[in-house]
Amino acid sequence: MENQFLKMSVSDDVYGAEYTTALKNVMAIAVGICHGLGYGDNFTAVLVSAAIREIGNFIDTYVLKREI
């Protein structure tokens, strides 16, 4: 299922999904702290962008180590 705003896919990687969910929650807490401290929208956008990239790198590394 997909549209211009959302793309959904099915995965059988339960551990990857669990790690991603946990890291997403950490990112949400960091964004909330930044918002509470009064940082601007640009800083928040950079934080989210970097966090998503780091989550991807972590999952890629984790999956590669798990398959070896």
Side-chain angles (χ1 to χ4, degrees):
M1 189 160 117
E2 181 177 344
N3 66 23
Q4 65 184 23
F5 301 109
L6 182 66
K7 178 181 179 182
M8 295 173 51
S9 61
V10 178
S11 174
D12 60 351
D13 183 13
V14 176
Y15 294 112
E18 291 291 333
Y19 277 119
T20 303
T21 302
L23 294 171
K24 180 235 355 143
N25 291 336
V26 172
M27 179 181 66
I29 291 169
V31 168
I33 291 170
C34 290
H35 179 72
L37 292 173
Y39 291 116
D41 292 337
N42 288 336
F43 181 83
T44 303
V46 169
L47 175 66
V48 169
S49 209
I52 290 171
R53 185 173 40 254
E54 289 298 324
I55 289 171
N57 290 340
F58 177 81
I59 296 301
D60 288 344
T61 302
Y62 169 74
V63 170
L64 287 177
K65 284 184 180 179
R66 200 174 94 191
E67 291 177 356
I68 293 176

